[in-house]
């Protein structure tokens, strides 16, 4: 579903002044979205920012943004907006991945122009205040990957009915004077696309995973709009396809032991385990 429009800015508040007039402030404007899960179970959401393709590096999202995702128990996950995990060049997603929101909890997503100098995960900061980009924001409830023998590997909807959410989009801007100080700050609520803060999201449909051999040669369209890559994949596309596939796995509903056995018997020299298991193993090694 569409949430709202967005506008990111890092530029002078007005065109350049003629000689003799005082310099105008520079505005740094970001987009903030609060997402409240109104259901009684944790849900995993996909957030997308859609903006037109452009050859102007100061008018596009590529390499120009940083993202912070704040959810209960995980403060300020930092990343960037990237389209490497999307087959559509107009669609950008947080590099932090899906947004997991516990039952009746709220997540806050902040997207800002990368105007803060070099920061982790942001190799190309904006060097001059001449950036502006506009588009719209989309939120969906993706089907998750499950493997429970004797059933095949498949995408399974997270819900059989639409799920309820509260959505609060905002623009927040800081005005920076010519002397480098903060002269003002503003916060503006944006209209919701549906006309109300409460919305219902239709879950993405499920379906079998169709991987046509060789896996690294071509990937089939598993579920509409999930993995529509049917051309031979380059190295970056392979990585994106793997990230998309693996990030969709729901470990709570997947028999990882049997899944790893299938990988091993299929000649794949990899195994998947829960992150907390891997951390516990590393700590055990450190103590030893």
């Amino acid at each position: 579903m569409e949430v709202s429009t967005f506008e990111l800015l890092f530029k002078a508040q007005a065109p350049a002044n003629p000689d003799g007039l005082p310099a105008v402030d520079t505005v740094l404007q970001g987009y903030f979205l609060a997402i409240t899960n109104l259901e009684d179970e944790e849900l995993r959401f996909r957030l997308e920012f859609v903006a037109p393709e452009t050859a102007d590096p100061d008018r596009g999202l590529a390499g120009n943004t940083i993202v912070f995702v704040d959810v209960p128990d995980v403060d300020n996950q930092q990343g960037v907006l990237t389209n490497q995990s999307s087959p559509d060049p107009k669609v950008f997603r947080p590099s932090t991945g899906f947004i997991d929101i516990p039952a009746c909890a709220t997540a806050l997503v902040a997207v800002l122009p990368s105007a803060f100098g070099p920061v982790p995960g942001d190799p190309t900061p904006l060097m001059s205040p001449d950036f502006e980009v506009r588009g719209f924001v989309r939120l969906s409830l993706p089907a998750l990957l499950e493997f429970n023998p004797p059933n095949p590997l498949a995408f399974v909807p997270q819900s059989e009915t639409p799920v309820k959410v509260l959505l609060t989009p905002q623009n927040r801007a800081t005005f920076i004077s010519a002397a480098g100080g903060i002269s003002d700050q503003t916060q503006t609520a944006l209209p919701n696309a549906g006309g109300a803060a409460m919305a219902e999201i239709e879950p993405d449909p499920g379906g079998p995973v169709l991987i046509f051999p060789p896996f690294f040669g071509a990937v089939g369209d598993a579920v509409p709009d999930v993995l529509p890559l049917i051309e031979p994949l380059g190295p970056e596309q392979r990585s994106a396809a793997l990230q998309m596939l693996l990030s969709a796995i729901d470990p709570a509903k997947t028999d990882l032991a049997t899944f790893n056995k299938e990988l091993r018997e299929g000649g794949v020299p990899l195994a998947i385990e829960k992150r907390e298991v891997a951390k516990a193993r590393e700590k055990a090694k450190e103590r030893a």
Side-chain angles (χ1 to χ4, degrees), residues 155-179:
F155 285 97
V156 178
Q158 295 186 61
S159 174
E160 296 181 356
T161 58
V163 301
K164 292 183 179 181
V165 294
L166 283 177
L167 302 173
T168 308
Q170 293 181 329
N171 279 336
R172 297 184 188 179
T174 298
F175 296 84
I176 305 169
S177 68

Side-chain angles (χ1 to χ4, degrees), residues 216-241:
F216 291 113
V219 176
D221 189 355
V223 176
D225 299 323
V226 172
L227 204 61
L229 298 173
I230 57 175
E231 298 296 330
L233 303 180
E236 291 187 0
Q237 290 174 312
R238 294 177 192 172
S239 175

Side-chain angles (χ1 to χ4, degrees), residues 2-151:
E2 285 67 41
V3 177
S4 71
T5 60
F6 74 88
E7 180 182 53
L8 303 177
L9 299 173
F10 178 50
K11 64 182 305 179
Q13 190 176 2
N17 288 309
D19 292 341
L21 294 179
V24 297
D25 287 353
T26 295
V27 59
L28 175 65
Q29 179 171 286
Y31 176 85
F32 289 71
L33 176 65
I35 308 168
T36 300
N37 172 14
L38 296 178
E39 303 294 336
D40 290 326
E41 61 179 331
E42 180 171 295
L43 296 171
R44 175 170 288 185
F45 296 89
R46 176 189 288 121
L47 186 64
E48 297 180 327
F49 290 75
V50 184
E53 293 184 74
T54 176
D56 188 339
D58 289 325
R59 296 297 180 271
L61 293 173
N64 289 328
T65 61
I66 56 176
V67 178
F68 296 93
V69 180
D70 193 281
V71 296
D73 300 325
V74 184
D75 293 334
N76 291 328
Q77 305 168 71
Q78 182 177 312
V80 297
L81 285 184
T82 175
N83 65 351
Q84 289 187 357
S85 63
S86 169
D88 187 340
K90 301 186 298 297
V91 175
F92 287 73
R93 299 169 179 166
S95 62
T96 49
F98 293 126
I99 301 173
D100 296 330
I101 307 180
C104 301
T106 298
L108 178 64
V109 180
V111 180
L112 303 168
S114 57
F116 306 97
V119 295
D122 177 29
T124 57
L126 294 166
M127 302 306 294
S128 61
D130 191 29
F131 169 70
E132 59 178 314
V133 62
R134 300 171 188 88
F136 66 92
V137 180
R138 190 159 56 202
L139 187 68
S140 61
L141 192 71
L144 300 182
L145 198 61
E146 292 185 13
F147 181 73
N148 293 298
N151 299 319

